[in-house]
Amino acid sequence: MSPPAGPRLAAALTPPTAAASRRSGTARRRPLVAAFVTAVIAALPTGAAGPAAAAAAGEAGDPRPSIAAGAVVAGDARPRDGWTWPVPPPVRVIAPFLAPPTPYAAGHRGIDIAAGEGDGVVAPAGGVVTFAGKVAGRGVIAIDHGDGIVSAIEPVAVAVRAGDEVGAGAPVGVVATGGHCDGACVHFGVRLHGAYVSPLLFLGGVPRAVLLPLR
């Protein structure tokens, strides 16, 4: 997914800035987020990393999802509580997440999930719709899930409006045409505090990580 086009979508994909009194709390959480991502990367199989993984380390995104492109997601890849896949089963990831080395460099800022034009699309988790409209001719929906987490799905013929509250699994539209998927898949991206991360962190495709105390 290319960097968001247009100020409206860019604003929708970025969680609203909190009051100054909350900024210090956000700053304190960032080391925990970085530690979590580092632990996730460390939990992946040895040898899975490559040059792209090293370049992506500073992006706080895991470019090596454990669900391979083209794989059908089985029952052992269960989403986190409160999350669900945005399209109905059987779920097949046809293009994995690949974090870019810099915010404007090439990469794949999400995953592509096989789907057909007209298939139903649901909210991956509860939240508030922050954008529902067209960007460069393709339908896009963005949802703010709170805690700095914002998801986006495209191409979608949206059936909701900005400001609507949705629950996990609530219908939000159907698969449309446009973009690189063009009726054959949906692109699903997630941002955490403004940085793209692998959606599989929320959908059960990345091994669980355990944070250990410093020695």
Side-chain angles (χ1 to χ4, degrees):
M1 178 176 178
S2 301
R8 289 177 57 213
L9 179 58
L13 292 176
T14 304
T17 302
S21 60
R22 296 177 56 192
R23 289 176 182 162
S24 60
T26 299
R28 288 194 298 270
R29 288 196 298 269
R30 285 174 181 163
L32 296 177
V33 173
F36 172 77
V37 173
T38 300
V40 168
I41 293 175
L44 291 171
T46 304
E59 190 73 11
D62 176 17
R64 300 155 298 155
S66 60
I67 296 177
V72 175
V73 178
D76 59 349
R78 294 185 177 88
R80 285 172 46 175
D81 289 344
W83 283 77
T84 188
W85 291 88
V87 295
V91 175
R92 186 163 60 95
V93 177
I94 60 176
F97 173 82
L98 180 61
T102 66
Y104 298 100
H108 192 230
R109 296 166 171 82
I111 58 175
D112 290 347
I113 309 170
E117 184 179 357
D119 287 352
V121 177
V122 302
V128 177
V129 177
T130 55
F131 183 88
K134 291 289 186 73
V135 176
R138 64 189 188 276
V140 180
I141 179 170
I143 304 173
D144 185 343
H145 305 289
D147 295 325
I149 303 169
V150 179
S151 68
I153 309 170
E154 62 171 272
V156 179
V158 296
V160 293
R161 296 179 296 179
D164 287 350
E165 292 188 10
V166 294
V172 295
V174 297
V175 178
T177 57
H180 65 275
C181 276
D182 201 20
C185 65
V186 292
H187 178 86
F188 178 43
V190 176
R191 279 188 173 191
L192 177 62
H193 299 301
Y196 285 99
V197 296
S198 173
L200 298 185
L201 290 169
F202 303 92
L203 296 175
V206 173
R208 291 180 179 272
V210 178
L211 299 181
L212 300 176
L214 297 175
R215 294 180 180 179

